[in-house]
Amino acid sequence: MDFTIIKHAVEVDHGIKRLSMHFIKQRAAPERARLSSELCTQISEEFERIGLSTLPRTLPTSENEFVWVIQRDSILGEVADVAAALAHLDKLGMSPLPQVFDNYPRAKSNLS
């Protein structure tokens, strides 16, 4: 998997870039006919290794879907990590702000 072009595109666009899963799959495994949940997990692990994260956190298996790729060490990347930690605590029933996601249901589903 060579995500050099993706990493560079994210850096050039101030730490965030909206990309199709088709584009990401072409960089990850152009020889594969389709995205699988296993390939999406491998992509997420490689992104993590090179300092990128995504929203939604769990990558979709449809090539027609779009995701946000975020530079983890950017301000926005740090905010997304804090929000993801809060969503995780909420999922465990340990949220310090128990009703925070009542007003933001899409945020919670994209952060888990």
Side-chain angles (χ1 to χ4, degrees), residues 6 17-26 35 40 43 47 54-69 106 109-110:
I6 292 174
K17 186 80 174 168
R18 186 173 183 256
L19 299 171
S20 71
M21 287 303 297
H22 175 76
F23 182 83
I24 294 170
K25 183 188 85 66
Q26 290 301 328
L35 278 168
C40 287
I43 291 168
F47 277 171
T54 61
L55 286 178
R57 294 291 189 175
T58 303
L59 293 173
T61 55
S62 169
E63 290 187 42
N64 297 324
E65 296 287 327
F66 283 79
V67 298
W68 293 99
V69 181
R106 290 185 308 165
S109 67
N110 280 293

Side-chain angles (χ1 to χ4, degrees), residues 48 52-55 57 70-87 111:
E48 177 79 23
L52 300 174
S53 62
T54 61
L55 286 178
R57 294 291 189 175
I70 304 168
Q71 188 176 355
R72 294 197 66 155
D73 65 357
S74 69
I75 294 169
L76 185 57
E78 289 182 8
V79 169
D81 285 346
V82 168
L86 186 58
L111 292 166

Side-chain angles (χ1 to χ4, degrees), residues 81-101:
D81 285 346
V82 168
L86 186 58
H88 183 69
L89 286 172
D90 189 71
K91 188 176 185 178
L92 296 173
M94 300 171 52
S95 176
L97 305 167
Q99 283 81 33
V100 74
F101 289 109

